[in-house]
């Protein structure tokens, strides 16, 4: 299992958001286990699927007049490194982009204390299954388990399929998840990114572009790894103070399908 890292110092993470504007978010130590969102009207609200919504290409938190976008890269820190006792204080709806979880970890280093305690776990109330068809068929299933196992399959049109099974003890794969940048997909977005970069958009290096990798397999592998980072962020929403004991099958799926499966399994 993952050992808890308790946040002990307040840190404000800064950087350009997805749109390129200066942004920040504060990680404040909580006096009790769990992750919380500081809201305008409801106080500190537990962060789980109950306040999460799926938007195009991202997940958001919404409660008490406070909204926070692209939360999958932030909540993933719970399962990727075991970060706990966190209050998120929102300054801008769109937080720093930073290429995903690794940028947050770099700015948060030195702000936590490592413990010998296992992160608490929670089992689903029921099994769930979600399937959809966008450009390709997608599927997510969550089954009860005595441990954690993620079957992660990903496929992007002209790229090879990548699939591996991941446990919480697979430290090499988890490190891949941490370092993986968001996918530069569809490929034509690179042309718009180049134009935006010419006019000052700062995030072009925070994305994994197909033409920056040495082979289609390397691109597929990096994009698969970022899907894993997303999956850890999605599954981390099962409960505000625990990680799930599940056998999860995520096949070509995105935020919408996985969040729906989490809600069905843990409601």
């Amino acid at each position: 299992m993952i050992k808890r890292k308790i946040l002990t110092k307040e840190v404000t993470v800064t950087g350009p958001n997805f749109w390129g504007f200066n942004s920040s978010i504060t990680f404040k130590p909580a006096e009790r286990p769990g992750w919380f969102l500081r809201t305008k009207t409801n106080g500190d609200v537990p962060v789980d699927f109950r306040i999460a919504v799926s938007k195009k290409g991202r997940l958001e938190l919404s409660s008490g007049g406070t909204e926070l976008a692209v939360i999958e890269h932030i909540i993933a820190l719970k399962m990727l490194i075991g970060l706990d006792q966190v209050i998120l204080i929102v300054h801008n709806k769109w937080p720093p982009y930073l290429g995903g979880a690794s940028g947050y970890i770099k700015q948060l280093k030195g702000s936590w204390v490592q413990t010998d305690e296992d992160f608490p776990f929670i089992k689903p109330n029921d099994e769930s299954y979600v399937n959809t068809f966008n450009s390709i068929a997608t599927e997510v299933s969550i089954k009860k388990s005595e441990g954690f196992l993620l079957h992660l399959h990903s496929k992007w049109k002209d790229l090879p399929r990548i699939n591996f099974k991941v446990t919480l003890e697979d430290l090499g794969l988890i490190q891949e998840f941490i370092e993986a940048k968001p996918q530069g997909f569809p490929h034509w977005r690179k042309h718009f990114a180049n134009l935006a970069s010419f006019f000052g958009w700062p995030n072009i290096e925070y994305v994994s572009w197909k033409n920056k990798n040495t082979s289609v397999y390397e691109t597929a592998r990096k994009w698969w790894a970022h899907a894993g980072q997303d999956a850890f962020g999605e599954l981390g929403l099962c409960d505000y103070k625990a990680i799930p004991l599940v056998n999860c099958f995520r096949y070509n799926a995105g935020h919408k399908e996985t969040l729906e499966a989490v809600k069905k399994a843990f409601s």
Side-chain angles (χ1 to χ4, degrees), residues 35-243:
W35 280 63
F36 305 88
L37 177 70
R38 179 151 294 176
T39 68
K40 295 177 181 177
T41 61
N42 293 344
D44 294 341
V45 175
V47 173
D48 64 15
F49 63 86
R50 294 173 180 84
I51 63 169
V53 294
S54 174
K55 297 291 182 72
K56 185 174 178 59
R58 66 186 187 277
L59 294 178
E60 292 188 1
L61 297 179
S62 180
S63 179
T66 299
E67 295 180 317
L68 179 61
V70 202
I71 61 163
E72 58 272 15
H73 300 164
I74 298 173
I75 306 304
L77 301 181
K78 180 163 68 172
M79 294 187 66
L80 288 172
I81 64 172
L83 190 62
D84 195 21
Q85 295 191 205
V86 177
I87 301 171
L88 297 174
I89 301 177
V90 178
H91 309 303
N92 320 87
K93 174 180 176 178
W94 291 85
Y97 193 55
L98 304 179
S102 63
Y104 281 88
I105 293 172
K106 288 174 183 176
Q107 293 196 37
L108 287 166
K109 272 191 173 179
S111 65
W112 62 66
V113 171
Q114 178 70 62
T115 76
D116 292 326
E117 304 170 17
D118 287 337
F119 216 105
F121 60 83
I122 186 173
K123 294 184 178 182
N125 296 315
D126 202 357
E127 297 184 349
S128 64
Y129 176 78
V130 175
N131 70 324
T132 61
F133 188 89
N134 295 318
S135 58
I136 54 176
T138 68
E139 177 182 336
V140 179
S141 66
I142 294 177
K143 297 180 179 180
K144 297 179 180 181
S145 175
E146 294 304 313
F148 176 88
L149 182 62
L150 171 64
H151 305 249
L152 182 63
H153 294 244
S154 68
K155 178 75 173 76
W156 283 269
K157 293 188 177 179
D158 58 336
L159 298 181
R161 174 174 299 284
I162 305 292
N163 64 87
F164 290 96
K165 296 179 181 179
V166 184
T167 71
L168 297 177
E169 287 72 40
D170 292 328
L171 301 183
L173 292 178
I174 290 175
Q175 187 60 36
E176 270 194 77
F177 290 177
I178 289 173
E179 296 172 358
K181 299 175 182 178
Q183 303 95 346
F185 182 83
H187 305 312
W188 51 260
R189 287 186 178 175
K190 182 63 162 60
H191 302 298
F192 290 93
N194 284 333
L195 180 62
S197 181
F198 179 79
F199 286 102
W201 188 64
N203 292 323
I204 194 165
E205 297 303 321
Y206 284 149
V207 178
S208 176
W209 301 107
K210 183 179 178 182
N211 68 335
K212 293 293 185 179
N213 297 317
T214 59
S215 67
V216 292
Y217 180 84
E218 183 183 1
T219 298
R221 179 70 184 235
K222 288 183 176 180
W223 290 12
W224 169 86
H226 190 77
Q229 184 182 135
D230 286 343
F232 272 28
E234 296 150 0
L235 292 169
L237 291 167
C238 70
D239 185 82
Y240 76 101
K241 61 179 180 179
I243 57 178

